[in-house]
Amino acid sequence: MRVIFDVDGTLIHSSAVDAEFYERAFFEVFGARLPTTDWAFYRNPTDRGIAEEAAEQLGLPLNHLNAMRERFVSALSAVRAIEPVAGARTILRELELRGHEVGIATGGWAAAARAKLS
């Protein structure tokens, strides 16, 4: 059996730090604030989708998305530890011991998810 887990809020408590660093990276690269940090506001609430939609709404060029991603991932990589959700490590270990394949799904950039999970 394969079991897939989301990262934010399922395996780790990262929503607050994620939002703070995402908003900061957007501002530092694009020089403007996000229209909102209510992720449900965006049609495509993924790391890339939010940045694209916010830039389009603000009339900003999309050619800075890679720089924004790099800034965001760099900030996340500097975090010492993000608290795991209670029981997350145990369930992952138990599933693997029982021979199940475990996968991670995220709407975030892969490098961001790796940084948060490390």
Side-chain angles (χ1 to χ4, degrees), residues 92-115:
L92 291 173
R93 195 171 25 251
E94 189 64 31
L95 287 167
E96 288 177 344
L97 285 172
R98 294 181 184 203
H100 301 295
E101 293 180 63
V102 174
I104 307 280
T106 183
W109 284 302
R114 282 189 205 95

Side-chain angles (χ1 to χ4, degrees), residues 45-117:
T46 63
D47 284 349
R48 182 174 186 88
I50 291 166
E52 285 177 345
E53 187 175 340
E56 287 171 359
Q57 287 179 12
L58 297 169
L60 302 170
L62 295 177
N63 60 339
H64 298 302
L65 287 176
N66 287 338
M68 191 225 154
R69 183 189 73 233
E70 289 172 15
R71 180 82 46 108
F72 178 54
V73 171
S74 176
L76 288 171
S77 297
V79 174
R80 291 214 179 248
I82 295 175
E83 190 69 28
V85 169
R89 288 182 176 145
T90 303
I91 192 73
L92 291 173
R93 195 171 25 251
E94 189 64 31
L95 287 167
E96 288 177 344
L97 285 172
R98 294 181 184 203
H100 301 295
E101 293 180 63
V102 174
I104 307 280
T106 183
W109 284 302
R114 282 189 205 95
K116 288 185 270 187
L117 290 170

Side-chain angles (χ1 to χ4, degrees), residues 11-79:
L11 295 177
I12 56 176
H13 294 290
S14 56
S15 297
V17 72
D18 193 53
E20 176 187 341
F21 289 161
Y22 189 91
E23 185 175 27
R24 185 183 311 155
F26 187 90
F27 179 76
E28 289 173 356
V29 171
F30 288 99
R33 300 248 177 249
L34 288 167
T36 180
T37 55
D38 176 359
W39 308 135
F41 171 82
Y42 298 95
R43 291 183 309 265
N44 182 9
T46 63
D47 284 349
R48 182 174 186 88
I50 291 166
E52 285 177 345
E53 187 175 340
E56 287 171 359
Q57 287 179 12
L58 297 169
L60 302 170
L62 295 177
N63 60 339
H64 298 302
L65 287 176
N66 287 338
M68 191 225 154
R69 183 189 73 233
E70 289 172 15
R71 180 82 46 108
F72 178 54
V73 171
S74 176
L76 288 171
S77 297
V79 174

